[in-house]
Amino acid sequence: MASLKNLLQMSQSTPTQFWNDSCATGELRYAIDNGAAGATTNPVIVGQVLKNETERYLPVIKSFIHDYRTASEDDVAWMLNEYMAAEGAAMLLPVFNGSGGKSGFISIQTNAKYYRNPANMLKQALHFKELAKNIMVKIPATEAGIAAVEESVFNGVNINATVSFTVAQAVCVAEAVERAFKRREHAGLPNDGLCPVCTIMVGRIEDWLRETAKEENILTDPEIFDLSGVAVFKHAYEIYKKKNYRTRLLAAAFRSHLHCSEFVGGDVSMTIPGRWIKMLNETDFFGGEMKNRMDIPVDGKIISQLKKYFKDFSRAYEPDGMKPKEFAHFGASRATLTQFLNGYDEMVGIIRKVLV
């Protein structure tokens, strides 16, 4: 008989958490009721929620325009971003309080246009921090973003490093957090209220390798793509455990059940889209028990194939595969930053129609 509590069982019986991959309130309520420990936003997500629920948010936008007579379309766009994040934070507050402030966060993303400017990212992070006590600020894991991560954590901001696809980025984020923690300790500041997260967008690694195979006419076993992001994530997790990093890994860019089933048992989080949350709950996919698969490595033959055919897999998989100055120019980084920027422009376009 199908269980309706698969993910709730996972969240209660293992250290593995899941987040709702949206701030849409209907989806978020269902996710929280089934054990969700957080939620996330970005320009694409906010734009999609706005498209799907225009009638709900149109009065909000009009009130911003009325109350802030000199506000630009960009000003209104960020007011809406903050409004949706605060709305989600309020829904997650019982989770936050019940966990003693260890979970129940919602992420809000800094302006993707700032990916080269650590000062601007820090300024925005400090502002977002004041929206709610369970706000987590997304900062891209570019070279400038790593610097912003350290300064933000030092200033007491809970961060979620995003636009991150590689072990090298995950290690750099964790090291930046460790430096910030040590600086706080030296300054007599507590670290117990900080719960930093580093995202690895596992599905976008797969997307990029599939695109590379298509462009370069590479013929290989198709299943290796499905496990490429899983392999990167598990390798990063292994390193995090060995080095006792105090940053939590989060798997994002959900593409298949593997991005849940392969990580069960790990002290990690994952963001899952609403439709996948329902599918995982409304089937007997887990077979009534939660098997620890986080510590089972991806087959070495698959990793060997990936390394053989894709230089960018090796760059993503090896902890020294890239230097920070290369992070923003990695193929998946370029594609994701472009999508975020375009998503923001689309959202502003909707607001422009109301404003003008």
Side-chain angles (χ1 to χ4, degrees):
M1 182 177 179
S3 168
L4 296 178
K5 297 183 178 180
N6 288 327
L7 293 175
L8 182 61
Q9 180 188 358
M10 180 186 74
S11 64
Q12 292 180 344
S13 63
T14 78
T16 313
Q17 297 181 350
F18 80 96
W19 294 14
N20 189 60
D21 195 14
S22 173
C23 57
T25 55
E27 286 186 9
L28 182 52
R29 173 46 56 200
Y30 178 86
I32 292 171
D33 289 344
N34 285 275
T40 190
T41 72
N42 63 39
V44 176
I45 290 172
V46 170
Q48 192 60 53
V49 171
L50 181 56
K51 287 179 184 177
N52 293 340
E53 302 182 35
T54 302
E55 292 305 312
R56 181 180 177 200
Y57 289 105
L58 190 59
V60 176
I61 294 170
K62 287 182 177 179
S63 71
F64 291 151
I65 293 171
H66 177 271
D67 293 343
Y68 300 92
R69 300 283 181 173
T70 61
S72 69
E73 57 192 25
D74 291 294
D75 294 331
V76 175
W78 283 105
M79 290 178 196
L80 183 63
N81 269 275
E82 293 174 18
Y83 180 91
M84 287 190 185
E87 194 174 48
M91 293 178 68
L92 283 159
L93 191 58
V95 179
F96 178 84
N97 290 335
S99 69
K102 299 299 182 183
S103 59
F105 291 94
I106 188 167
S107 292
I108 179 172
Q109 188 162 307
T110 54
N111 193 333
K113 295 179 180 180
Y114 296 161
Y115 75 93
R116 299 177 61 191
N117 191 316
N120 281 354
M121 285 186 273
L122 174 61
K123 181 179 179 180
Q124 203 168 29
L126 292 173
H127 171 68
F128 289 158
K129 176 178 179 285
E130 303 305 317
L131 294 176
K133 60 182 179 180
N134 55 333
I135 285 287
M136 187 171 275
V137 180
K138 282 185 174 181
I139 296 174
T142 58
E143 183 176 25
I146 300 297
V149 162
E150 180 175 345
E151 292 307 314
S152 295
V153 173
F154 176 71
N155 281 278
V157 178
N158 275 302
I159 63 93
N160 177 359
T162 187
V163 193
S164 175
F165 317 89
T166 70
V167 174
Q169 286 173 290
V171 169
C172 279
V173 168
E175 291 288 349
V177 170
E178 293 301 315
R179 290 193 299 271
F181 275 6
K182 289 177 182 177
R183 289 170 58 194
R184 286 179 61 84
E185 290 163 3
H186 187 263
L189 298 171
N191 290 326
D192 53 1
L194 292 171
C195 304
V197 166
C198 179
T199 291
I200 296 181
M201 306 181 89
V202 292
R204 290 177 183 265
I205 301 169
E206 298 176 14
D207 294 346
W208 177 245
L209 295 184
R210 283 192 173 93
E211 184 64 27
T212 300
K214 181 179 178 180
E215 290 183 357
E216 299 182 6
N217 293 317
I218 297 172
L219 181 62
T220 185
D221 294 332
E223 65 267 22
I224 71 171
F225 297 109
D226 292 334
L227 288 166
S228 57
V230 171
V232 170
F233 192 81
K234 287 192 172 187
H235 195 202
Y237 182 73
E238 180 184 13
I239 293 170
Y240 267 46
K241 288 301 178 184
K242 285 181 179 178
K243 295 197 173 184
N244 292 313
Y245 288 141
R246 288 172 280 185
T247 300
R248 184 181 183 90
L249 283 173
L250 183 148
F254 203 93
R255 297 291 184 269
S256 76
H257 73 78
L258 296 174
H259 297 161
C260 176
S261 58
E262 283 294 320
F263 305 141
V264 171
D267 190 10
V268 300
S269 301
M270 59 188 87
T271 54
I272 307 178
R275 70 182 185 89
W276 275 99
I277 291 174
K278 289 187 175 181
M279 281 196 292
L280 290 169
N281 270 346
E282 294 171 1
T283 68
D284 59 357
F285 177 75
F286 291 102
E289 63 176 313
M290 293 294 149
K291 296 181 180 179
N292 186 333
R293 294 194 57 83
M294 188 66 206
D295 296 329
I296 301 174
V298 173
D299 190 324
K301 293 180 181 178
I302 290 176
I303 292 176
S304 294
Q305 277 198 65
L306 286 163
K307 288 183 174 181
K308 176 181 178 181
Y309 291 109
F310 301 101
K311 178 182 177 182
D312 275 353
F313 174 77
S314 294
R315 296 175 72 201
Y317 186 79
E318 300 298 341
D320 58 353
M322 286 193 294
K323 297 186 181 302
K325 66 181 180 180
E326 300 175 89
F327 291 164
H329 306 291
F330 186 60
S333 299
R334 297 199 311 271
T336 302
L337 284 168
T338 299
Q339 184 187 23
F340 285 166
L341 291 165
N342 289 340
Y344 174 74
D345 289 341
E346 289 180 14
M347 178 180 60
V348 170
I350 296 173
I351 291 169
R352 184 178 299 140
K353 291 179 181 179
V354 182
L355 185 63
V356 176

